[in-house]
Amino acid sequence: RSAAPPPPAPRRAIDPAAGAGAGRAAPAGDRAAMGQAHASGTYFREAAIKEHFHMVQSLWTEPDLANLTDRLKDMTLNFSLDKVKFTKLLQMSASFQDAVDAWFTEFSHDRASQVVDGLEFLSAMIMVSSQVPLFRKISLLFALFDLDKTGCIRKDEFTIFLKAITTGLHRVISGLPPPSTVAELGGLSSEFFNTLNSQVLSQRDLLMWMTEAHFSLHYISVLSRLNTGLFAWGANKRYQLGLDLEPQMQRVPVPVLGLEGLRIASVASSESHALFLTEEGAVWSCGSGFCGLLGHGDVQDRQQPQLVESLASSVIVSVAAGIRHSVAVSDKGQVFTWGSADMGQLGHGSTEDREVHEWAHDPKSGGTFAYVLRPTVVMALFGQRVLATQAACCSFSTAALTTQGEIYTWGNNTDGQCGQGQKCPDHHLIYVDPHMQRTAMQVLLVPRKIAADVAFQKVAGGGYHMLAIDDRSRLWTWGRGVWGALGHGDQRSAYEPSLVEPLKYHLCHDVVAGEVHSVCLTSLYRLTITASNKDVAMSPFSLLGLPLGRVDRQLAARQPVAPPATSLQLNAFASARLVHMALPWRPDPGQPLIDPQRYPPADIQESIVLIDRSLWEGEWLKLSSTEFDFGVRLSPAGAKVPSRSGLSAPILFAVEGKWEPRLDCVDRICVVESPPDAAGKATPEELTPVVVDTALRCLEGHGLACFFILPKGVEVFTVDVPETAEVRARLQRIPVGVMSHEHGMVLKKHITRLINMRIAEAPDGMPEDVKDWRECREEFTGRPYFENVATGGKRWAPPQINPNTLATLLVVREDGFLPRLQAVVDMRPKGVVVCQQSWRPDAELVSLAESFLETLEVPIVAVTYEAGEELKGVASNGSVPWVTMEIQPYGGVFAWGNGTQGQLGLAGIENQDFLTKAQNMLTGEHNLFVNRPFYVAHLHEHEVTSIACGSAHTVAVTQTGDVFTWGAASGLGVPVETSSSQVPMFVEQLEGLVRATQAFAGHSHCYVVAEMPYNSIV
């Protein structure tokens, strides 16, 4: 938890191992001890060029530094320079003599021989230059340390490089860490070379180390103009990342050096190209140039970003990219399009118009295709004074959002992605291949306004569907509905905008889409907890909750609030005393659900009520001493549990099978840990006889029920009915079942704590249950046994200490949450906080009836099990907690559509299985999907502020600057051994290095805008 009002700290970190691996492609030099030293303290933060080196920043150009490199190598073999050689190397005029003397002194004063290491000096001069861009600096360094001019750097040369450049920079710049020893740098060099397939370093290898290793990135931060830089990773076969030396796959994030000095506001990217929009409104592009989609007036590829000159006279505010076309919107409302026009996606009308379109031969089909080489204004909009503010693209369709909140669309509308209805009169039928009738497409050649009764504020495109947020922050979708990509609860296509009902009352702030999946960013509730009792010390803290009711109504109800006994000023919609309302696990039909004597209605109306979410359908073991829900699986072979009353009795927890039925089981619910002889048994067939034998022993001891804790790694299963009639008859006298290993260990820990409490409270640490028992050994065998000195009784297993807790076995046939919630809401409290049960500890969206929501005025919020336990703790400590509810305009992430490659992030949520599996019987292909929005609980407490989707992966940036990715491996930015990650993973390369602020994605790649760790000095 955190002090209010700053955001709460994460309570449960996401386990990267659940996403099948982690690691970086290049070694993290900072993993070495010396690397840690470089990243710590005040180093780099106060870096500054020493006064007598200021002039060198602008003294030499790149050709000058290249000439100095050649001159140094020709002048001496060991690169040591006395005063004469140093002066000869620089060849400066007499007016620079004082500066040359100062430089020589700085680089030689600590050497007995009074010489300058030319490699130290020249490498430092290269890095501090403000005349040379960063990539060219790295190229110059490679040429300098290719000592034998073989086109590569050997391992010993790389160690020399590390020593020379760190020492040289330390001489020129104050505030940098002192140089490491040769031994330390040699270890760093060895670590890096161990990751390579060669014993020599190519220029690409050096670039990789310089841009991936944290050790070097700290230096680059202060010695480049990256400042707020753009990091990229993923597929780069078509140069869409804009990286130098064009790696085909970039596994971990690296800065895009070609954008050095530019502040990127937005990125639009597809499978083949990328558009980079700067904060000043300029557009840069790179990637594959076919169809002219880069906007440079030709069809040439661009490996690194290049300014789109045709847009230089306009201030661009929005960019978008389709598969083969590009779009830009200016601050004057003009929409520019360029690239392929084969599906009408450019909006310039008939492709027969040769004044706008050019034609080329298609060698694949033998036909021709039309395209536009340069950004061209869509006159069907601007000519009619329709002014745009934002653009979005599907694969072959385009949308423009106007200043009036209207959406115009054009291009492919075959699946309804233009939202113009199935019988749009402006449809044109075209054939992708004239020789194939099944390639017929319905397209719109010019923009057409979507008929809608709402005003929109944002539009986004997926592969073949579109999404928009209206001015009431509601989400609408239309287009192809396969795999539930529209979120309407089915797979039908929608040819006009349709409201996404599950999110109707939430505040949607951003929406993005991949090929067939969608992700929405919504508001959460922030609960600030303070103490209204001044006599109890409690620091204010805050928690996040998932809204379950009418967020739209709470938005209008906000007002300034000052919680009692604090100096906080919050913009809240509810603020009141917190009351923990303890409701029964299951209602008694003969009694009211809420006791009015215990919870007077007048008090409740002035309070925010804390309740538990009721138990789900299933079979449960509940203890009177904990709120934890222990799930069990009853066998149909055992006795039935009374459905109304359940079965209550003291509990016996038998550790590792050490128990004696005739003495320990009498009138108890018995939970037995798997004995040593069950080790190695991992299948239901192997374990069933052990479970049955355990149950029969418990029955012989007059136990009331018996549950067997399964070994680790064994899934819960139903114990089948034994074949023997005699055994079946005996088992029908006692409820029998199994418990998962995980829940069994939680139960064991809790019982152990209760027993330790009894031991601590007992005189001499001996509870009444065991004080008369003594351990003895048989005279001849030495076998241990226990004897009661008071009664003379004997037993082989250690005597049991009663944990003094009551266990209740329940069978829940129907989820009773909604009636419970209705009863609480009917009392009209200031708010309701629903605590998740331990069985499903994560916050989840609950479907509430429309009739309930229409009249709902009370704010309802769900919090995690851990947060609920914390709230119960402060409610019981005498502090009289006060809760203030605010709306946080970010943090909630919902996903739906195809999740086969993990792009929804819905796997691995405890005891939840949202995904539906569908298999094609002809091909054997299987898909996982959900057809309506589900909450990505993994990210609940990480406060997501920015989201983006690739074709089959998703990326998110949090309020603290962390980056998460999930889905197809190519877009993760974290090397994994499998083809995908089913859960969100930390992008470890960026963690602790930069603070990310925005996320963008292309087909199989990602970009994030991130603040470099230190200020630049060049």
Side-chain angles (χ1 to χ4, degrees), residues 364-435:
K364 183 177 180 180
S365 66
T368 56
F369 64 93
Y371 60 97
V372 175
L373 285 174
R374 290 181 176 84
T376 303
V377 174
V378 180
M379 292 307 298
L381 291 174
F382 195 66
Q384 301 298 317
R385 298 186 179 182
V386 176
L387 306 182
T389 60
Q390 188 219 332
C393 291
C394 292
S395 295
F396 301 99
S397 311
T398 309
L401 176 66
T402 73
T403 54
Q404 302 301 311
E406 299 168 331
I407 294 177
Y408 284 75
T409 58
W410 59 95
N412 183 17
N413 191 38
T414 306
D415 295 294
Q417 53 266 60
C418 286
Q420 303 291 348
Q422 286 182 288
K423 298 181 180 180
C424 176
D426 294 337
H427 275 154
H428 288 261
L429 191 67
I430 68 167
Y431 292 89
V432 176
D433 189 326
H435 304 291

Side-chain angles (χ1 to χ4, degrees), residues 231 960-963 989-996 1008 1010-1013:
F231 282 72
T960 56
D962 292 320
V963 180
Q989 174 70 359
L990 299 175
E991 186 182 1
L993 174 68
V994 298
R995 183 182 181 276
V1008 294
E1011 299 171 359
M1012 296 298 288

Side-chain angles (χ1 to χ4, degrees), residues 714-953:
V714 178
E715 294 289 334
V716 173
F717 62 90
T718 300
V719 178
D720 292 333
V721 179
E723 296 181 358
T724 308
E726 179 186 355
V727 174
R728 285 202 304 269
R730 294 175 64 191
L731 284 182
Q732 289 174 0
R733 296 161 52 193
I734 183 173
V736 179
V738 295
M739 178 184 292
S740 71
H741 179 82
E742 291 73 20
H743 275 217
M745 293 305 99
V746 174
L747 178 60
K748 180 178 181 179
K749 182 178 180 180
H750 179 70
I751 294 296
T752 301
R753 184 177 68 85
L754 295 179
I755 290 174
N756 288 337
M757 290 172 57
R758 286 207 61 203
I759 293 173
E761 295 168 357
D764 301 324
M766 296 292 289
E768 192 71 24
D769 316 61
V770 296
K771 71 175 184 178
D772 293 329
W773 289 93
R774 301 291 183 269
E775 184 175 357
C776 307
R777 291 187 179 273
E778 288 186 326
E779 184 174 352
F780 297 105
T781 65
R783 180 184 178 187
Y785 68 95
F786 297 85
E787 182 177 6
N788 190 305
V789 296
T791 65
K794 295 182 179 181
R795 57 182 293 145
W796 296 108
Q800 302 284 338
I801 298 177
N802 186 355
N804 280 359
T805 184
L806 186 69
T808 300
L809 180 60
L810 298 170
V811 177
V812 178
R813 302 297 184 193
E814 182 179 355
D815 186 351
F817 172 64
L818 295 182
R820 173 185 294 223
L821 180 63
Q822 181 72 67
V824 175
V825 168
D826 287 345
M827 297 186 74
R828 305 192 65 78
K830 297 289 186 181
V832 178
V833 180
V834 179
C835 305
Q836 290 294 109
Q837 297 287 78
S838 65
W839 178 252
R840 291 183 182 174
D842 298 294
E844 63 176 311
L845 185 64
V846 178
S847 296
L848 302 177
E850 183 65 24
S851 57
F852 177 79
L853 290 168
E854 283 180 353
T855 59
L856 181 65
E857 299 288 345
V858 178
I860 305 171
V861 58
V863 299
T864 64
Y865 172 73
E866 293 89 342
E869 290 297 290
E870 187 164 9
L871 289 174
K872 294 172 188 175
V874 298
S876 62
N877 67 3
S879 61
V880 190
W882 193 275
V883 174
T884 304
M885 293 184 173
E886 301 172 274
I887 295 176
Q888 176 172 282
Y890 53 84
V893 178
F894 288 87
W896 61 96
N898 192 297
T900 306
Q901 298 193 62
Q903 60 264 51
L904 301 183
L906 294 175
I909 297 176
E910 190 171 348
N911 295 312
Q912 293 275 45
D913 188 8
F914 301 119
L915 299 166
T916 299
K917 185 175 182 179
Q919 184 170 2
N920 187 314
M921 301 305 294
L922 296 177
T923 65
E925 176 188 18
H926 77 275
N927 283 275
L928 301 174
F929 70 98
V930 295
N931 56 26
R932 61 184 179 88
F934 282 93
Y935 188 59
V936 184
H938 291 298
L939 299 171
H940 175 64
E941 289 162 336
H942 290 278
E943 299 187 274
V944 172
T945 57
S946 178
I947 51 176
C949 290
S951 175
H953 71 281

Side-chain angles (χ1 to χ4, degrees), residues 9-294:
R11 295 176 180 274
R12 279 199 314 280
I14 294 174
D15 180 9
R24 296 203 281 263
D30 50 302
R31 285 201 296 263
M34 47 78 66
Q36 296 291 351
H38 278 241
S40 62
T42 59
Y43 293 136
F44 299 101
R45 298 188 185 281
E46 300 177 2
I49 299 284
K50 295 179 180 178
E51 184 176 356
H52 46 285
F53 286 103
H54 281 167
M55 68 171 64
V56 302
Q57 289 191 272
S58 57
L59 186 59
W60 292 300
T61 64
E62 181 181 349
D64 295 333
L65 292 168
N67 289 334
L68 286 174
T69 296
D70 293 337
R71 198 179 303 155
L72 175 65
K73 291 185 177 181
D74 294 339
M75 183 178 296
T76 176
L77 293 177
N78 62 2
F79 307 106
S80 296
L81 305 172
D82 59 19
K83 184 66 174 291
V84 175
K85 290 182 178 179
F86 184 70
T87 304
K88 182 179 179 181
L89 170 70
L90 299 182
Q91 296 183 359
M92 308 287 287
S93 65
S95 61
F96 286 90
Q97 192 57 51
D98 290 344
V100 172
D101 291 343
W103 301 342
F104 183 84
T105 300
E106 181 66 46
F107 275 81
S108 64
H109 70 88
D110 55 352
R111 288 191 169 93
S113 57
Q114 291 295 295
V115 295
V116 169
D117 185 323
L119 296 176
E120 288 182 11
F121 179 82
L122 199 48
S123 61
M125 296 305 103
I126 291 172
M127 289 305 296
V128 300
S129 173
S130 60
Q131 302 294 307
V132 183
L134 181 55
F135 172 68
R136 299 311 307 163
K137 290 181 180 181
I138 296 172
S139 299
L140 287 170
L141 289 176
F142 183 82
L144 176 61
F145 288 93
D146 177 11
L147 302 180
D148 51 8
K149 300 182 180 180
T150 59
C152 60
I153 295 177
R154 302 189 310 271
K155 182 177 179 180
D156 58 331
E157 293 173 336
F158 185 64
T159 303
I160 294 171
F161 158 75
L162 293 174
K163 182 63 176 176
I165 195 169
T166 55
T167 304
L169 289 172
H170 187 258
R171 295 182 187 279
V172 175
I173 302 172
S174 61
L176 293 187
S180 301
T181 66
V182 173
E184 290 174 327
L185 294 171
L188 180 60
S189 177
S190 297
E191 182 182 5
F192 181 38
F193 271 80
N194 287 339
T195 68
L196 303 176
N197 296 323
S198 172
Q199 289 305 303
V200 294
L201 211 63
S202 67
Q203 186 176 355
R204 178 175 290 176
D205 294 330
L206 180 63
L207 177 65
M208 177 179 71
W209 187 84
M210 292 286 285
T211 55
E212 291 184 14
H214 283 203
F215 177 84
S216 61
L217 283 168
H218 287 108
Y219 283 95
I220 283 178
S221 179
V222 299
L223 296 170
S224 71
R225 291 177 293 113
L226 287 172
N227 297 315
T228 299
L230 185 73
F231 282 72
W233 65 92
N236 191 43
K237 292 182 180 180
R238 301 181 184 181
Y239 317 123
Q240 60 268 41
L241 296 184
L243 300 179
D244 293 285
L245 301 183
E246 301 85 52
Q248 289 200 349
M249 174 60 69
Q250 178 61 43
R251 291 291 182 187
V252 298
V254 293
V256 181
L257 305 186
L259 297 172
E260 181 185 6
L262 301 176
R263 297 181 68 89
I264 301 301
S266 180
V267 180
S269 185
S270 69
E271 189 174 5
S272 302
H273 73 299
L275 306 174
F276 307 100
L277 175 63
T278 71
E279 291 184 356
E280 294 73 28
V283 178
W284 297 61
S285 67
C286 65
S288 187
F290 71 99
C291 303
L293 80 173
L294 298 184

